[in-house]
Amino acid sequence: MTLTVLQWVAIGLVAIAILLSTLRLLLGPTTPDRVVAADTLSVITTAGLVALASMFDNPIYLDIALVYGTLAFVGTVAVARAIEGNRE
Amino acid sequence: MDNTLVTPAISLRHYVLVFGVCLLLWVLLVGNLAVQELLAGVVVSALVTLLFGSRFGILTGLRFSPLVPLYIAGYLGYFMVALVRANLDLALRVIAPSLPIRPALVEVKTTLKSPLGRLLLANSITLTPGTLTVDVLDDTLLVHWVYCPPGTDMQQATDKIAASFERHIGRFLL
Amino acid sequence: MNLLGDIFLLIGGAFMALGSLGLIRMPDLYNRLQAGTKAATLGTLAVLLGIGFHHPDWWAKLLVIAGFVLFTNPVGSSTIARAALKSGIEPVHGGNRKVES
């Protein structure tokens, strides 16, 4: 499908968001900083998967987005717990 | 006033509620109301309810009255407005070259007693203007505030951050 | 209908970009967490709403995803904040506007 101008601008904004989050992921002075960036990136990815479903006109990507969101959440909580238990 | 965490005993009503929530989620995921899908959903939901119903302690504490759906809708509406305001507020702070922030950790007291109520309150605080729940210790929530006005004490912080949400959530949860 | 959907997609993208800008500009972890979580949550909701205008027949699953994002995002960020506090990362306190590079 062809994209409208507004959709291109939206994609550009999301690209900026991914770029800045990745920058924080690479810069992040501490581990929790990187976890925050990774968490934000995973949420952006969930939204991106939903947008892909619309672009390919195929609702199967919605299920992928849902499962991806679930796994990302579990991953974030697991890493946070690991950081927490680390310095008893 | 006793503010310890309360988890009411699990009753038949609770099992019916778990069954209803499972079935609702099933119907939303399937996306249609065909008879065979609905039958499969009833079987699966009943199985889940029988096997794990006693462990869904998080759903206890819901008040039962005909007005509950209305209160939940009211809470969601209020919450959405707060979420949009939070983002506009944050966007202005981020764009402003001087970065007008004055962060502080404050403690907030809650009168909600059920686990789900405290979870919803903590989530609401996290998504509203300039506040982030850091930890929940019994009836005290540790909140990070992006712009804490100088000389704010605990009572003022509670009034400003939690009181309005607590009023909305308290209508349908213990 | 499609124009309305595109506008919501644009709003979602804008909030995500602003949130990520906050992620870079904010001085400490807790402020970054605030910027990241709130903006990403509302951005995702706006994108879901926009897609909902494009494909009205997907509303049920979009609703499930929206509820899920709304419920898990704040829990995730609270968990990170608590882990950071317990591992000894001190928040920047009042009036300190130092921005690290």
Side-chain angles (χ1 to χ4, degrees):
Chain A
M1 74 183 269
T2 51
L3 296 174
T4 62
V5 179
L6 283 181
Q7 283 167 344
W8 275 115
V9 177
I11 289 175
L13 285 170
V14 173
I16 292 173
I18 291 175
L19 210 69
L20 291 175
S21 308
T22 313
L23 199 62
R24 178 49 73 196
L25 188 74
L26 295 173
L27 286 177
T30 63
T31 312
D33 279 305
R34 293 174 209 273
V35 180
V36 173
D39 185 43
T40 309
L41 268 179
S42 73
V43 179
I44 295 174
T45 309
T46 310
L49 280 169
V50 176
L52 269 187
S54 174
M55 272 188 214
F56 295 150
D57 206 11
N58 190 347
I60 198 81
Y61 287 92
L62 294 181
D63 298 276
I64 298 175
L66 196 57
V67 173
Y68 180 81
T70 315
L71 290 179
F73 169 63
V74 173
T76 305
V77 172
V79 173
R81 287 283 177 180
I83 295 168
E84 193 178 324
N86 204 335
R87 311 223 183 143
E88 268 322 318
Chain B
M1 196 159 58
D2 179 27
N3 271 340
T4 49
L5 195 64
V6 173
T7 41
I10 288 168
S11 59
L12 182 67
R13 214 169 55 174
H14 170 72
Y15 282 102
V16 173
L17 188 65
V18 173
F19 178 77
V21 169
C22 286
L23 195 61
L24 181 68
L25 193 61
W26 176 279
V27 169
L28 283 177
L29 280 175
V30 166
N32 63 50
L33 283 171
V35 178
Q36 46 184 341
E37 299 278 18
L38 215 54
L39 274 178
V42 168
V43 171
V44 172
S45 304
L47 212 62
V48 169
T49 308
L50 284 178
L51 289 177
F52 304 111
S54 56
R55 297 189 182 197
F56 277 93
I58 190 85
L59 282 180
T60 54
L62 196 67
R63 292 181 199 276
F64 283 84
S65 97
L67 286 174
V68 160
L70 205 68
Y71 291 148
I72 293 179
Y75 161 68
L76 281 177
Y78 182 79
F79 172 74
M80 281 300 162
V81 172
L83 180 59
V84 173
R85 268 185 44 221
N87 275 279
L88 294 177
D89 173 78
L90 205 78
L92 288 179
R93 281 185 205 289
V94 168
I95 294 174
S98 61
L99 205 67
I101 59 173
R102 195 174 181 284
L105 280 176
V106 292
E107 286 186 332
V108 168
K109 287 266 178 204
T110 175
T111 52
L112 296 169
K113 293 194 180 78
S114 63
L116 185 60
R118 286 181 185 175
L119 175 66
L120 278 185
L121 182 67
N123 274 5
S124 304
I125 288 176
T126 299
L127 290 175
T128 46
T131 50
L132 169 79
T133 312
V134 176
D135 207 348
V136 183
L137 297 161
D138 287 330
D139 65 338
T140 309
L141 287 97
L142 195 59
V143 174
H144 180 263
W145 205 351
V146 158
Y147 195 89
C148 179
T152 310
D153 65 9
M154 189 174 183
Q155 188 54 45
Q156 286 170 317
T158 304
D159 286 346
K160 260 196 165 149
I161 296 174
S164 52
F165 277 117
E166 220 169 60
R167 209 176 52 242
H168 275 93
I169 296 172
R171 284 183 189 147
F172 60 92
L173 281 164
L174 285 180
Chain C
M1 207 61 164
N2 277 347
L3 183 69
L4 205 58
D6 284 358
I7 289 172
F8 273 110
L9 287 180
L10 197 66
I11 293 173
F15 273 123
M16 281 179 190
L18 284 174
S20 304
L21 185 64
L23 215 55
I24 294 289
R25 282 200 73 197
M26 288 296 192
D28 77 336
L29 176 106
Y30 304 94
N31 292 313
R32 280 175 202 151
L33 203 47
Q34 292 226 19
T37 312
K38 286 199 236 299
T41 308
L42 192 70
T44 306
L45 286 186
V47 169
L48 289 173
L49 196 61
I51 300 296
F53 278 116
H54 282 285
H55 296 267
D57 47 323
W58 292 356
W59 69 270
K61 206 158 277 178
L62 291 174
L63 194 68
V64 174
I65 298 177
F68 183 80
V69 166
L70 216 50
F71 198 71
T72 57
N73 253 2
V75 176
S77 55
S78 287
T79 321
I80 299 173
R82 197 173 73 143
L85 195 71
K86 287 202 174 167
S87 70
I89 296 175
E90 286 294 319
V92 174
H93 264 284
N96 188 348
R97 290 186 189 174
K98 187 180 58 128
V99 184
E100 356 174 310
S101 52

